[in-house]
Amino acid sequence: MRLTDHTDYSLRTLIYAAVHPGELVHVQSVADAFDIPKNHLVKIVQKLGQAGFLHTVRGRAGGIRLGQPAEAINLGAVVRAMEPDFALVECFQSEGNACVITQACGLRGVLGEALGAYFKVLDRYTLADLTTQPATLQRLLGEAVTSSVPLAAVTVKGKSPR
């Protein structure tokens, strides 16, 4: 099974936000760290925000931060939310399946079981499991660039962030 770049970049964005607790990070910083086109990343951040994985703050002093604690962000849930579908082969599709052996073939069952096992593993892990070495991750991400904003310096509609 291969994840789309969309999901890969989603997981990287969440990791980046997780190693910057208490800060709003700029989308440009994430794009620079992973060499991802900013326009593509903006769409990903929007979807992660809609799914509740990220909190986004618009405007000049805006940025992103985790929408919930890293321990609460399940990897299986992220992958399910970000991938367009899990039709591994044609017979997984309800429409457009032209395979002539679908009725008698056992491939669909075997691959369905494998997909279930794949998610069973992902469901055992959270974002916190991926970020147990935050200082090393920050160093590898090239944290010489200081483009994050301390949350204490930002207010959202007259309220202080959490």
Side-chain angles (χ1 to χ4, degrees):
M1 165 130 204
R2 180 178 166 94
L3 296 176
T4 61
D5 287 344
H6 192 83
T7 302
D8 178 20
Y9 298 161
S10 298
L11 292 167
R12 293 185 204 194
T13 300
L14 291 172
I15 290 168
Y16 192 98
V19 298
H20 293 88
E23 299 175 11
L24 283 174
V25 295
H26 297 139
V27 173
Q28 186 64 58
S29 299
V30 179
D32 291 344
F34 293 113
D35 196 25
I36 300 169
K38 182 181 176 187
N39 291 339
H40 187 59
L41 193 58
V42 166
K43 296 172 191 170
I44 291 167
V45 164
Q46 180 181 15
K47 191 168 181 182
L48 287 168
Q50 290 170 342
F53 299 122
L54 284 179
H55 175 76
T56 60
V57 178
R58 298 179 104 174
R60 197 174 189 151
I64 59 172
R65 68 173 186 256
L66 293 181
Q68 46 192 296
E71 299 80 19
I73 298 177
N74 179 272
L75 298 183
V78 173
V79 170
R80 284 181 186 93
M82 302 310 285
E83 279 294 307
D85 70 62
F86 296 97
L88 298 179
V89 290
E90 184 178 334
C91 58
F92 274 46
Q93 300 170 1
S94 56
E95 293 181 26
N97 178 11
C99 181
V100 297
I101 63 171
T102 297
Q103 247 180 322
C105 179
L107 183 60
R108 181 178 180 172
V110 171
L111 290 177
E113 184 179 344
L115 183 61
Y118 175 78
F119 277 111
K120 190 173 183 179
V121 170
L122 287 175
D123 288 340
R124 290 193 335 237
Y125 295 95
T126 68
L127 182 59
D129 295 316
L130 304 182
T131 57
T132 59
Q133 298 180 42
T136 302
L137 286 168
Q138 286 179 346
R139 183 176 46 78
L140 292 170
L141 288 167
E143 289 304 303
V145 178
T146 56
S147 56
S148 57
V149 179
L151 277 180
V154 178
T155 57
V156 180
K157 294 186 182 178
K159 298 180 183 178
S160 294
R162 56 180 166 121

